[in-house]
Structure formats: structure tokens, C-alpha cells
PDB file of all heavy atoms in Angstrom:
ATOM      1  N   THR A 580     182.367 -38.754-108.601  1.00 96.00           N
ATOM      2  CA  THR A 580     181.110 -39.470-108.975  1.00 96.00           C
ATOM      3  C   THR A 580     180.148 -39.151-107.810  1.00 96.00           C
ATOM      4  O   THR A 580     180.463 -39.035-106.662  1.00 96.00           O
ATOM      5  CB  THR A 580     181.429 -40.913-108.850  1.00 96.00           C
ATOM      6  OG1 THR A 580     182.231 -41.300-109.965  1.00 96.00           O
ATOM      7  CG2 THR A 580     180.104 -41.735-109.264  1.00 96.00           C
ATOM      8  N   VAL A 581     179.024 -38.960-108.235  1.00 96.00           N
ATOM      9  CA  VAL A 581     177.738 -38.740-107.357  1.00 96.00           C
ATOM     10  C   VAL A 581     176.719 -39.856-107.506  1.00 96.00           C
ATOM     11  O   VAL A 581     176.533 -40.301-108.753  1.00 96.00           O
ATOM     12  CB  VAL A 581     177.190 -37.311-107.555  1.00 96.00           C
ATOM     13  CG1 VAL A 581     176.513 -37.077-108.927  1.00 96.00           C
ATOM     14  CG2 VAL A 581     176.261 -37.000-106.383  1.00 96.00           C
ATOM     15  N   TYR A 582     176.181 -40.232-106.483  1.00 97.00           N
ATOM     16  CA  TYR A 582     175.120 -41.324-106.554  1.00 97.00           C
ATOM     17  C   TYR A 582     173.743 -40.831-106.052  1.00 97.00           C
ATOM     18  O   TYR A 582     173.681 -39.948-105.217  1.00 97.00           O
ATOM     19  CB  TYR A 582     175.530 -42.497-105.802  1.00 97.00           C
ATOM     20  CG  TYR A 582     176.888 -43.139-106.067  1.00 97.00           C
ATOM     21  CD1 TYR A 582     178.077 -42.557-105.448  1.00 97.00           C
ATOM     22  CD2 TYR A 582     177.062 -43.968-107.071  1.00 97.00           C
ATOM     23  CE1 TYR A 582     179.305 -43.028-105.682  1.00 97.00           C
ATOM     24  CE2 TYR A 582     178.239 -44.537-107.469  1.00 97.00           C
ATOM     25  CZ  TYR A 582     179.548 -44.015-106.693  1.00 97.00           C
ATOM     26  OH  TYR A 582     180.665 -44.485-107.049  1.00 97.00           O
ATOM     27  N   LEU A 583     172.739 -41.408-106.551  1.00 98.00           N
ATOM     28  CA  LEU A 583     171.361 -41.175-105.938  1.00 98.00           C
ATOM     29  C   LEU A 583     170.640 -42.562-105.672  1.00 98.00           C
ATOM     30  O   LEU A 583     170.455 -43.184-106.574  1.00 98.00           O
ATOM     31  CB  LEU A 583     170.559 -40.294-106.903  1.00 98.00           C
ATOM     32  CG  LEU A 583     169.212 -39.830-106.314  1.00 98.00           C
ATOM     33  CD1 LEU A 583     169.345 -38.945-105.132  1.00 98.00           C
ATOM     34  CD2 LEU A 583     168.334 -39.263-107.373  1.00 98.00           C
ATOM     35  N   GLN A 584     170.688 -42.858-104.331  1.00 98.00           N
ATOM     36  CA  GLN A 584     169.966 -44.148-104.054  1.00 98.00           C
ATOM     37  C   GLN A 584     168.528 -43.849-103.755  1.00 98.00           C
ATOM     38  O   GLN A 584     168.115 -42.992-102.922  1.00 98.00           O
ATOM     39  CB  GLN A 584     170.593 -44.663-102.719  1.00 98.00           C
ATOM     40  CG  GLN A 584     169.866 -45.883-102.310  1.00 98.00           C
ATOM     41  CD  GLN A 584     170.059 -47.153-103.167  1.00 98.00           C
ATOM     42  OE1 GLN A 584     171.135 -47.430-103.581  1.00 98.00           O
ATOM     43  NE2 GLN A 584     168.962 -47.787-103.468  1.00 98.00           N
ATOM     44  N   MET A 585     167.600 -44.447-104.538  1.00 98.00           N
ATOM     45  CA  MET A 585     166.241 -44.204-104.561  1.00 98.00           C
ATOM     46  C   MET A 585     165.444 -45.339-104.058  1.00 98.00           C
ATOM     47  O   MET A 585     165.644 -46.361-104.673  1.00 98.00           O
ATOM     48  CB  MET A 585     165.701 -43.699-105.946  1.00 98.00           C
ATOM     49  CG  MET A 585     166.450 -42.498-106.590  1.00 98.00           C
ATOM     50  SD  MET A 585     165.761 -42.004-108.092  1.00 98.00           S
ATOM     51  CE  MET A 585     166.010 -43.430-109.163  1.00 98.00           C
ATOM     52  N   SER A 586     164.675 -45.175-103.062  1.00 98.00           N
ATOM     53  CA  SER A 586     163.906 -46.195-102.530  1.00 98.00           C
ATOM     54  C   SER A 586     162.467 -45.843-102.385  1.00 98.00           C
ATOM     55  O   SER A 586     162.118 -44.661-102.336  1.00 98.00           O
ATOM     56  CB  SER A 586     164.540 -46.634-101.044  1.00 98.00           C
ATOM     57  OG  SER A 586     165.747 -47.089-101.113  1.00 98.00           O
ATOM     58  N   GLY A 587     161.497 -46.763-102.239  1.00 98.00           N
ATOM     59  CA  GLY A 587     160.140 -46.462-102.081  1.00 98.00           C
ATOM     60  C   GLY A 587     159.638 -45.614-103.249  1.00 98.00           C
ATOM     61  O   GLY A 587     158.807 -44.798-103.069  1.00 98.00           O
ATOM     62  N   LEU A 588     159.978 -46.071-104.480  1.00 98.00           N
ATOM     63  CA  LEU A 588     159.756 -45.303-105.653  1.00 98.00           C
ATOM     64  C   LEU A 588     158.249 -45.309-105.998  1.00 98.00           C
ATOM     65  O   LEU A 588     157.522 -46.262-105.693  1.00 98.00           O
ATOM     66  CB  LEU A 588     160.495 -45.874-106.785  1.00 98.00           C
ATOM     67  CG  LEU A 588     161.898 -45.403-106.866  1.00 98.00           C
ATOM     68  CD1 LEU A 588     162.708 -46.260-107.862  1.00 98.00           C
ATOM     69  CD2 LEU A 588     162.115 -44.061-107.244  1.00 98.00           C
ATOM     70  N   LYS A 589     157.794 -44.265-106.293  1.00 97.00           N
ATOM     71  CA  LYS A 589     156.323 -43.924-106.814  1.00 97.00           C
ATOM     72  C   LYS A 589     156.256 -43.516-108.213  1.00 97.00           C
ATOM     73  O   LYS A 589     157.163 -43.088-108.865  1.00 97.00           O
ATOM     74  CB  LYS A 589     155.877 -42.795-105.965  1.00 97.00           C
ATOM     75  CG  LYS A 589     156.012 -43.009-104.247  1.00 97.00           C
ATOM     76  CD  LYS A 589     155.621 -41.732-103.547  1.00 97.00           C
ATOM     77  CE  LYS A 589     155.825 -41.931-102.154  1.00 97.00           C
ATOM     78  NZ  LYS A 589     155.499 -40.576-101.389  1.00 97.00           N
ATOM     79  N   PRO A 590     155.007 -43.909-108.801  1.00 97.00           N
ATOM     80  CA  PRO A 590     154.802 -43.501-110.163  1.00 97.00           C
ATOM     81  C   PRO A 590     155.029 -42.048-110.510  1.00 97.00           C
ATOM     82  O   PRO A 590     155.515 -41.720-111.497  1.00 97.00           O
ATOM     83  CB  PRO A 590     153.327 -43.863-110.398  1.00 97.00           C
ATOM     84  CG  PRO A 590     153.164 -44.972-109.376  1.00 97.00           C
ATOM     85  CD  PRO A 590     153.912 -44.618-108.144  1.00 97.00           C
ATOM     86  N   GLU A 591     154.729 -41.095-109.445  1.00 96.00           N
ATOM     87  CA  GLU A 591     155.132 -39.751-109.755  1.00 96.00           C
ATOM     88  C   GLU A 591     156.602 -39.403-109.773  1.00 96.00           C
ATOM     89  O   GLU A 591     156.894 -38.230-110.081  1.00 96.00           O
ATOM     90  CB  GLU A 591     154.361 -38.810-108.614  1.00 96.00           C
ATOM     91  CG  GLU A 591     154.653 -39.249-107.276  1.00 96.00           C
ATOM     92  CD  GLU A 591     153.655 -40.130-106.553  1.00 96.00           C
ATOM     93  OE1 GLU A 591     153.144 -41.125-107.321  1.00 96.00           O
ATOM     94  OE2 GLU A 591     153.280 -39.946-105.360  1.00 96.00           O
ATOM     95  N   ASN A 592     157.390 -40.373-109.545  1.00 97.00           N
ATOM     96  CA  ASN A 592     158.823 -40.170-109.585  1.00 97.00           C
ATOM     97  C   ASN A 592     159.348 -40.371-110.914  1.00 97.00           C
ATOM     98  O   ASN A 592     160.586 -40.223-111.260  1.00 97.00           O
ATOM     99  CB  ASN A 592     159.608 -40.946-108.623  1.00 97.00           C
ATOM    100  CG  ASN A 592     159.298 -40.749-107.185  1.00 97.00           C
ATOM    101  OD1 ASN A 592     159.309 -41.709-106.283  1.00 97.00           O
ATOM    102  ND2 ASN A 592     159.033 -39.510-106.811  1.00 97.00           N
ATOM    103  N   THR A 593     158.484 -40.905-111.913  1.00 98.00           N
ATOM    104  CA  THR A 593     158.891 -41.150-113.232  1.00 98.00           C
ATOM    105  C   THR A 593     159.364 -39.722-113.933  1.00 98.00           C
ATOM    106  O   THR A 593     158.572 -38.856-113.929  1.00 98.00           O
ATOM    107  CB  THR A 593     157.755 -41.714-114.022  1.00 98.00           C
ATOM    108  OG1 THR A 593     157.450 -43.015-113.488  1.00 98.00           O
ATOM    109  CG2 THR A 593     158.046 -41.772-115.504  1.00 98.00           C
ATOM    110  N   ALA A 594     160.610 -39.825-114.433  1.00 98.00           N
ATOM    111  CA  ALA A 594     161.111 -38.656-115.070  1.00 98.00           C
ATOM    112  C   ALA A 594     162.468 -38.932-115.644  1.00 98.00           C
ATOM    113  O   ALA A 594     162.974 -40.095-115.492  1.00 98.00           O
ATOM    114  CB  ALA A 594     161.302 -37.519-114.000  1.00 98.00           C
ATOM    115  N   VAL A 595     162.939 -38.015-116.392  1.00 98.00           N
ATOM    116  CA  VAL A 595     164.345 -38.049-116.846  1.00 98.00           C
ATOM    117  C   VAL A 595     165.153 -37.384-115.709  1.00 98.00           C
ATOM    118  O   VAL A 595     164.918 -36.325-115.378  1.00 98.00           O
ATOM    119  CB  VAL A 595     164.650 -37.396-118.238  1.00 98.00           C
ATOM    120  CG1 VAL A 595     166.099 -37.435-118.566  1.00 98.00           C
ATOM    121  CG2 VAL A 595     163.688 -38.057-119.191  1.00 98.00           C
ATOM    122  N   TYR A 596     166.117 -38.193-115.172  1.00 98.00           N
ATOM    123  CA  TYR A 596     166.971 -37.607-114.125  1.00 98.00           C
ATOM    124  C   TYR A 596     168.296 -37.236-114.752  1.00 98.00           C
ATOM    125  O   TYR A 596     169.012 -37.946-115.477  1.00 98.00           O
ATOM    126  CB  TYR A 596     167.215 -38.705-113.074  1.00 98.00           C
ATOM    127  CG  TYR A 596     166.109 -38.974-112.240  1.00 98.00           C
ATOM    128  CD1 TYR A 596     164.867 -39.591-112.737  1.00 98.00           C
ATOM    129  CD2 TYR A 596     166.114 -38.529-110.943  1.00 98.00           C
ATOM    130  CE1 TYR A 596     163.687 -39.603-111.893  1.00 98.00           C
ATOM    131  CE2 TYR A 596     164.942 -38.634-110.067  1.00 98.00           C
ATOM    132  CZ  TYR A 596     163.772 -39.202-110.558  1.00 98.00           C
ATOM    133  OH  TYR A 596     162.575 -39.337-109.778  1.00 98.00           O
ATOM    134  N   TYR A 597     168.708 -35.874-114.439  1.00 98.00           N
ATOM    135  CA  TYR A 597     169.923 -35.406-114.943  1.00 98.00           C
ATOM    136  C   TYR A 597     171.040 -34.951-113.802  1.00 98.00           C
ATOM    137  O   TYR A 597     170.607 -34.602-112.725  1.00 98.00           O
ATOM    138  CB  TYR A 597     169.556 -33.977-115.761  1.00 98.00           C
ATOM    139  CG  TYR A 597     168.690 -34.236-116.910  1.00 98.00           C
ATOM    140  CD1 TYR A 597     167.391 -34.059-116.788  1.00 98.00           C
ATOM    141  CD2 TYR A 597     169.298 -34.288-118.131  1.00 98.00           C
ATOM    142  CE1 TYR A 597     166.433 -34.156-117.830  1.00 98.00           C
ATOM    143  CE2 TYR A 597     168.387 -34.370-119.169  1.00 98.00           C
ATOM    144  CZ  TYR A 597     166.995 -34.317-119.172  1.00 98.00           C
ATOM    145  OH  TYR A 597     166.216 -34.372-120.222  1.00 98.00           O
ATOM    146  N   CYS A 598     172.021 -35.373-114.145  1.00 98.00           N
ATOM    147  CA  CYS A 598     173.163 -35.005-113.201  1.00 98.00           C
ATOM    148  C   CYS A 598     173.754 -33.637-113.507  1.00 98.00           C
ATOM    149  O   CYS A 598     173.816 -33.140-114.707  1.00 98.00           O
ATOM    150  CB  CYS A 598     174.380 -36.076-113.363  1.00 98.00           C
ATOM    151  SG  CYS A 598     175.692 -35.892-112.355  1.00 98.00           S
ATOM    152  N   ASN A 599     174.230 -32.833-112.583  1.00 97.00           N
ATOM    153  CA  ASN A 599     174.735 -31.605-112.701  1.00 97.00           C
ATOM    154  C   ASN A 599     175.998 -31.447-111.751  1.00 97.00           C
ATOM    155  O   ASN A 599     175.855 -31.904-110.687  1.00 97.00           O
ATOM    156  CB  ASN A 599     173.632 -30.560-112.229  1.00 97.00           C
ATOM    157  CG  ASN A 599     174.241 -29.104-112.273  1.00 97.00           C
ATOM    158  OD1 ASN A 599     174.688 -28.615-111.330  1.00 97.00           O
ATOM    159  ND2 ASN A 599     174.064 -28.472-113.352  1.00 97.00           N
ATOM    160  N   GLY A 600     176.836 -30.709-112.228  1.00 96.00           N
ATOM    161  CA  GLY A 600     178.158 -30.410-111.538  1.00 96.00           C
ATOM    162  C   GLY A 600     178.561 -28.974-111.581  1.00 96.00           C
ATOM    163  O   GLY A 600     178.509 -28.407-112.761  1.00 96.00           O
ATOM    164  N   LYS A 601     178.960 -28.381-110.563  1.00 96.00           N
ATOM    165  CA  LYS A 601     179.476 -27.048-110.532  1.00 96.00           C
ATOM    166  C   LYS A 601     181.097 -27.282-110.571  1.00 96.00           C
ATOM    167  O   LYS A 601     181.579 -27.630-109.461  1.00 96.00           O
ATOM    168  CB  LYS A 601     178.997 -26.215-109.335  1.00 96.00           C
ATOM    169  CG  LYS A 601     179.520 -24.800-109.364  1.00 96.00           C
ATOM    170  CD  LYS A 601     178.961 -24.097-108.025  1.00 96.00           C
ATOM    171  CE  LYS A 601     179.497 -22.706-108.038  1.00 96.00           C
ATOM    172  NZ  LYS A 601     178.904 -22.081-106.759  1.00 96.00           N
ATOM    173  N   ILE A 602     181.619 -27.018-111.663  1.00 95.00           N
ATOM    174  CA  ILE A 602     182.999 -27.430-111.871  1.00 95.00           C
ATOM    175  C   ILE A 602     183.975 -26.340-112.411  1.00 95.00           C
ATOM    176  O   ILE A 602     183.566 -25.434-113.186  1.00 95.00           O
ATOM    177  CB  ILE A 602     183.012 -28.618-112.956  1.00 95.00           C
ATOM    178  CG1 ILE A 602     182.154 -29.744-112.446  1.00 95.00           C
ATOM    179  CG2 ILE A 602     184.536 -28.993-113.273  1.00 95.00           C
ATOM    180  CD1 ILE A 602     182.088 -30.839-113.443  1.00 95.00           C
ATOM    181  N   ARG A 603     185.082 -26.353-111.762  1.00 93.00           N
ATOM    182  CA  ARG A 603     186.178 -25.466-112.341  1.00 93.00           C
ATOM    183  C   ARG A 603     187.154 -26.237-113.190  1.00 93.00           C
ATOM    184  O   ARG A 603     187.709 -27.299-112.724  1.00 93.00           O
ATOM    185  CB  ARG A 603     187.042 -24.773-111.161  1.00 93.00           C
ATOM    186  CG  ARG A 603     187.811 -23.701-111.635  1.00 93.00           C
ATOM    187  CD  ARG A 603     188.770 -23.221-110.445  1.00 93.00           C
ATOM    188  NE  ARG A 603     187.813 -22.530-109.397  1.00 93.00           N
ATOM    189  CZ  ARG A 603     187.425 -21.301-109.384  1.00 93.00           C
ATOM    190  NH1 ARG A 603     187.764 -20.512-110.527  1.00 93.00           N
ATOM    191  NH2 ARG A 603     186.616 -20.738-108.531  1.00 93.00           N
ATOM    192  N   THR A 604     187.465 -25.781-114.313  1.00 91.00           N
ATOM    193  CA  THR A 604     188.426 -26.504-115.219  1.00 91.00           C
ATOM    194  C   THR A 604     189.802 -25.717-115.318  1.00 91.00           C
ATOM    195  O   THR A 604     189.854 -24.681-114.810  1.00 91.00           O
ATOM    196  CB  THR A 604     187.746 -26.507-116.694  1.00 91.00           C
ATOM    197  OG1 THR A 604     187.732 -25.322-117.303  1.00 91.00           O
ATOM    198  CG2 THR A 604     186.390 -27.148-116.537  1.00 91.00           C
ATOM    199  N   GLY A 605     190.654 -26.310-115.997  1.00 78.00           N
ATOM    200  CA  GLY A 605     191.838 -25.720-116.211  1.00 78.00           C
ATOM    201  C   GLY A 605     191.977 -24.398-117.217  1.00 78.00           C
ATOM    202  O   GLY A 605     192.752 -23.690-117.257  1.00 78.00           O
ATOM    203  N   VAL A 606     190.842 -24.352-117.940  1.00 70.00           N
ATOM    204  CA  VAL A 606     190.695 -23.327-118.886  1.00 70.00           C
ATOM    205  C   VAL A 606     190.002 -22.143-118.285  1.00 70.00           C
ATOM    206  O   VAL A 606     190.369 -20.940-118.520  1.00 70.00           O
ATOM    207  CB  VAL A 606     189.911 -23.769-120.192  1.00 70.00           C
ATOM    208  CG1 VAL A 606     189.801 -22.569-121.106  1.00 70.00           C
ATOM    209  CG2 VAL A 606     190.764 -24.853-120.787  1.00 70.00           C
ATOM    210  N   LEU A 607     189.030 -22.270-117.573  1.00 68.00           N
ATOM    211  CA  LEU A 607     188.163 -21.240-117.074  1.00 68.00           C
ATOM    212  C   LEU A 607     188.576 -21.020-115.515  1.00 68.00           C
ATOM    213  O   LEU A 607     188.900 -21.959-114.732  1.00 68.00           O
ATOM    214  CB  LEU A 607     186.666 -21.572-117.061  1.00 68.00           C
ATOM    215  CG  LEU A 607     186.219 -21.838-118.583  1.00 68.00           C
ATOM    216  CD1 LEU A 607     184.790 -22.318-118.413  1.00 68.00           C
ATOM    217  CD2 LEU A 607     186.365 -20.572-119.485  1.00 68.00           C
ATOM    218  N   SER A 608     188.612 -19.712-115.153  1.00 76.00           N
ATOM    219  CA  SER A 608     188.816 -19.383-113.773  1.00 76.00           C
ATOM    220  C   SER A 608     187.523 -19.364-112.897  1.00 76.00           C
ATOM    221  O   SER A 608     187.612 -19.353-111.665  1.00 76.00           O
ATOM    222  CB  SER A 608     189.599 -18.034-113.606  1.00 76.00           C
ATOM    223  OG  SER A 608     188.743 -17.066-114.242  1.00 76.00           O
ATOM    224  N   SER A 609     186.373 -19.408-113.538  1.00 88.00           N
ATOM    225  CA  SER A 609     185.083 -19.289-112.843  1.00 88.00           C
ATOM    226  C   SER A 609     184.496 -20.749-112.941  1.00 88.00           C
ATOM    227  O   SER A 609     184.753 -21.571-113.579  1.00 88.00           O
ATOM    228  CB  SER A 609     184.356 -18.232-113.589  1.00 88.00           C
ATOM    229  OG  SER A 609     183.978 -18.646-114.869  1.00 88.00           O
ATOM    230  N   TRP A 610     183.473 -20.836-112.112  1.00 91.00           N
ATOM    231  CA  TRP A 610     182.783 -22.061-111.943  1.00 91.00           C
ATOM    232  C   TRP A 610     181.666 -22.167-113.041  1.00 91.00           C
ATOM    233  O   TRP A 610     181.183 -21.120-113.501  1.00 91.00           O
ATOM    234  CB  TRP A 610     181.938 -22.161-110.762  1.00 91.00           C
ATOM    235  CG  TRP A 610     182.812 -22.160-109.415  1.00 91.00           C
ATOM    236  CD1 TRP A 610     183.038 -21.147-108.616  1.00 91.00           C
ATOM    237  CD2 TRP A 610     183.446 -23.275-108.834  1.00 91.00           C
ATOM    238  NE1 TRP A 610     183.844 -21.538-107.622  1.00 91.00           N
ATOM    239  CE2 TRP A 610     184.135 -22.946-107.697  1.00 91.00           C
ATOM    240  CE3 TRP A 610     183.729 -24.553-109.253  1.00 91.00           C
ATOM    241  CZ2 TRP A 610     185.031 -23.682-106.948  1.00 91.00           C
ATOM    242  CZ3 TRP A 610     184.473 -25.457-108.562  1.00 91.00           C
ATOM    243  CH2 TRP A 610     185.063 -25.037-107.405  1.00 91.00           C
ATOM    244  N   THR A 611     181.561 -23.395-113.574  1.00 94.00           N
ATOM    245  CA  THR A 611     180.669 -23.569-114.689  1.00 94.00           C
ATOM    246  C   THR A 611     179.788 -24.732-114.339  1.00 94.00           C
ATOM    247  O   THR A 611     180.334 -25.758-113.859  1.00 94.00           O
ATOM    248  CB  THR A 611     181.456 -23.701-115.929  1.00 94.00           C
ATOM    249  OG1 THR A 611     182.218 -22.758-116.320  1.00 94.00           O
ATOM    250  CG2 THR A 611     180.533 -24.163-117.066  1.00 94.00           C
ATOM    251  N   TYR A 612     178.508 -24.641-114.615  1.00 95.00           N
ATOM    252  CA  TYR A 612     177.713 -25.950-114.446  1.00 95.00           C
ATOM    253  C   TYR A 612     177.557 -26.695-115.784  1.00 95.00           C
ATOM    254  O   TYR A 612     177.440 -26.242-116.852  1.00 95.00           O
ATOM    255  CB  TYR A 612     176.212 -25.343-114.215  1.00 95.00           C
ATOM    256  CG  TYR A 612     176.167 -24.782-112.846  1.00 95.00           C
ATOM    257  CD1 TYR A 612     176.194 -23.347-112.533  1.00 95.00           C
ATOM    258  CD2 TYR A 612     175.786 -25.611-111.725  1.00 95.00           C
ATOM    259  CE1 TYR A 612     176.115 -22.953-111.256  1.00 95.00           C
ATOM    260  CE2 TYR A 612     175.646 -25.168-110.400  1.00 95.00           C
ATOM    261  CZ  TYR A 612     175.771 -23.793-110.182  1.00 95.00           C
ATOM    262  OH  TYR A 612     175.707 -23.258-108.880  1.00 95.00           O
ATOM    263  N   TYR A 613     177.723 -28.012-115.582  1.00 97.00           N
ATOM    264  CA  TYR A 613     177.732 -28.989-116.681  1.00 97.00           C
ATOM    265  C   TYR A 613     176.547 -29.879-116.292  1.00 97.00           C
ATOM    266  O   TYR A 613     176.214 -30.256-115.123  1.00 97.00           O
ATOM    267  CB  TYR A 613     179.080 -29.800-116.797  1.00 97.00           C
ATOM    268  CG  TYR A 613     180.169 -28.900-117.108  1.00 97.00           C
ATOM    269  CD1 TYR A 613     181.013 -28.179-116.291  1.00 97.00           C
ATOM    270  CD2 TYR A 613     180.435 -28.656-118.528  1.00 97.00           C
ATOM    271  CE1 TYR A 613     182.048 -27.398-116.626  1.00 97.00           C
ATOM    272  CE2 TYR A 613     181.576 -27.905-118.928  1.00 97.00           C
ATOM    273  CZ  TYR A 613     182.359 -27.304-117.955  1.00 97.00           C
ATOM    274  OH  TYR A 613     183.381 -26.543-118.329  1.00 97.00           O
ATOM    275  N   TRP A 614     175.986 -30.447-117.460  1.00 97.00           N
ATOM    276  CA  TRP A 614     174.926 -31.402-117.332  1.00 97.00           C
ATOM    277  C   TRP A 614     175.210 -32.684-118.078  1.00 97.00           C
ATOM    278  O   TRP A 614     175.963 -32.646-119.095  1.00 97.00           O
ATOM    279  CB  TRP A 614     173.630 -30.671-117.923  1.00 97.00           C
ATOM    280  CG  TRP A 614     173.108 -29.598-117.257  1.00 97.00           C
ATOM    281  CD1 TRP A 614     173.341 -28.315-117.512  1.00 97.00           C
ATOM    282  CD2 TRP A 614     172.231 -29.687-116.323  1.00 97.00           C
ATOM    283  NE1 TRP A 614     172.704 -27.397-116.666  1.00 97.00           N
ATOM    284  CE2 TRP A 614     171.846 -28.283-115.785  1.00 97.00           C
ATOM    285  CE3 TRP A 614     171.502 -30.748-115.608  1.00 97.00           C
ATOM    286  CZ2 TRP A 614     171.069 -27.892-114.810  1.00 97.00           C
ATOM    287  CZ3 TRP A 614     170.661 -30.325-114.517  1.00 97.00           C
ATOM    288  CH2 TRP A 614     170.514 -28.873-114.161  1.00 97.00           C
ATOM    289  N   GLY A 615     174.662 -33.810-117.510  1.00 98.00           N
ATOM    290  CA  GLY A 615     174.733 -34.991-118.110  1.00 98.00           C
ATOM    291  C   GLY A 615     173.644 -35.125-119.157  1.00 98.00           C
ATOM    292  O   GLY A 615     172.811 -34.227-119.353  1.00 98.00           O
ATOM    293  N   GLN A 616     173.601 -36.168-119.871  1.00 97.00           N
ATOM    294  CA  GLN A 616     172.592 -36.447-120.913  1.00 97.00           C
ATOM    295  C   GLN A 616     171.228 -36.884-120.424  1.00 97.00           C
ATOM    296  O   GLN A 616     170.264 -36.855-121.150  1.00 97.00           O
ATOM    297  CB  GLN A 616     173.124 -37.491-121.936  1.00 97.00           C
ATOM    298  CG  GLN A 616     172.983 -38.938-121.451  1.00 97.00           C
ATOM    299  CD  GLN A 616     173.909 -39.422-120.460  1.00 97.00           C
ATOM    300  OE1 GLN A 616     174.878 -38.687-120.032  1.00 97.00           O
ATOM    301  NE2 GLN A 616     173.771 -40.574-119.930  1.00 97.00           N
ATOM    302  N   GLY A 617     171.193 -37.244-119.223  1.00 97.00           N
ATOM    303  CA  GLY A 617     169.950 -37.722-118.541  1.00 97.00           C
ATOM    304  C   GLY A 617     169.679 -39.222-118.611  1.00 97.00           C
ATOM    305  O   GLY A 617     170.211 -39.900-119.648  1.00 97.00           O
ATOM    306  N   THR A 618     168.944 -39.754-117.667  1.00 98.00           N
ATOM    307  CA  THR A 618     168.707 -41.229-117.665  1.00 98.00           C
ATOM    308  C   THR A 618     167.256 -41.388-117.235  1.00 98.00           C
ATOM    309  O   THR A 618     166.908 -40.599-116.294  1.00 98.00           O
ATOM    310  CB  THR A 618     169.599 -42.092-116.750  1.00 98.00           C
ATOM    311  OG1 THR A 618     169.317 -43.393-116.832  1.00 98.00           O
ATOM    312  CG2 THR A 618     169.509 -41.615-115.280  1.00 98.00           C
TER     313      THR A 618
END
């Protein structure tokens, strides 16, 4: 799990925030980037 604590938020920070992970699985031998659905 990764967290992002955001303080002092500004209107220009309005956006869809996406999580990304560089992950190795049991199927692939190489690193693969995965994305969340966004919040």
C-alpha cells in the first residue's frame, strides 16, 4: 500500500489522482506498470 498525505490543498490541485506501481508478477519476468482506476 502507498499513501499520499496532502495538506494545504489548493484549487489547482483539483484532478483525478491515479496510483501506479512497477510490479513483477509470477507470470512475467519483467517489470510491468499497473494503474489504478483513479480517485
Side-chain angles (χ1 to χ4, degrees):
T580 300
V581 65
Y582 307 91
L583 186 67
Q584 178 66 50
M585 305 184 294
S586 300
L588 284 164
K589 306 174 181 179
E591 55 263 41
N592 298 144
T593 295
V595 178
Y596 284 70
Y597 296 92
C598 178
N599 175 268
K601 185 181 180 182
I602 299 171
R603 187 185 298 277
T604 70
V606 177
L607 302 175
S608 60
S609 60
W610 296 103
T611 302
Y612 287 93
Y613 294 90
W614 292 94
Q616 80 286 353
T618 184

